[in-house]
Amino acid sequence: MNKGLLNVDEALERLLAGARPVAETETVPTLSATGRVLAAAQRSTMNVPPMDNSAMDGYAVRTADLRRPDTRLKVAQKIQAGSIGKPLAPGTAARIFTGAPIPAGADAIVMQEFCTQEGEEVVVKKIPAPGEWVRLTGSDIRAGGDVLPAGIRLRPQDTGLAASVGIASLPVFRLLRVGLFFTGDELVMPGGPLPPGRIYNSSRFTLNGLARIFGCETRDYGIVGLPHRWLPGRGPAQASEAPRETSDNE
């Protein structure tokens, strides 16, 4: 066996020994941060939900008003998501929709499936327990709580979580930079006739695709021929082809 050759494990060991973690960071909009590696842990500056709100479409009620099924209450107001209702007076109900704030005085939601509205009144067929279908302030996330740990590759649900607590931008590590070049006098690019003794350069497409999947900035130097054809003092970047792609950050 040629002692000058390395097996795969030896080659990988040498490559990893020379690798250094990326230390440079940048701040990017949360909307474009998916796929990037988070450089610093993120905490919430707010409660989620930020107010007590309804988990169902239905009616906000005071449970003290409901002594038995089929109780009639006057529908005094309608509260939609994004609007604020008035305090709920005794003996009344508020038509309410999912996500709408619970009006002061109400302590439960009755699902609309268990109610019948008749004119200006609603007939409540099922007596709710206090707190039923009420999402309490901070029940999902508390202000000051950890939301995203450092070092994760951000997924769509992670950037959505960041946005839900008002984080408009995120610190991330810069992308890895990868240069690709391809050697071999037998290589030609697809799109033209294949000369005798030549093959199409499929590796160029495979490696470019892999680099993109792994979130790398790539510079493609194309087919550069065999090393013995390089001019003295000139490497692959100055060989037979100019770069096919250049990153804005290069």
Side-chain angles (χ1 to χ4, degrees), residues 32-166:
S32 59
T34 298
R36 301 297 296 271
V37 177
L38 188 63
Q42 300 296 299
R43 293 178 178 270
S44 178
T45 59
M46 60 179 287
N47 290 314
V48 178
M51 69 290 180
D52 294 352
N53 70 89
S54 177
M56 289 288 175
D57 291 349
Y59 293 84
V61 298
R62 303 165 63 103
T63 55
D65 292 334
L66 302 172
R67 300 298 183 183
R68 62 185 183 277
D70 296 324
T71 296
R72 289 177 174 270
L73 299 172
K74 180 183 178 180
V75 180
Q77 57 183 309
K78 179 187 290 185
I79 310 172
Q80 297 178 324
S83 62
I84 303 296
K86 300 176 182 178
L88 191 66
T92 68
R95 182 71 166 109
I96 197 166
F97 298 91
T98 304
I102 303 295
D107 62 352
I109 302 296
V110 184
M111 292 173 59
Q112 62 187 14
E113 288 82 357
F114 299 116
C115 298
T116 301
Q117 185 157 352
E118 298 179 358
E120 295 183 354
E121 293 184 327
V122 61
V123 179
V124 180
K125 300 178 180 179
K126 177 181 179 293
I127 299 176
E132 190 167 327
W133 298 120
V134 174
R135 292 189 294 212
L136 297 176
T137 301
S139 56
D140 290 337
I141 301 171
R142 300 297 298 181
D146 294 331
V147 289
L148 293 171
I152 63 168
R153 186 176 294 276
L154 293 164
R155 303 166 298 172
Q157 55 266 46
D158 298 322
T159 53
L161 175 58
S164 75
V165 296

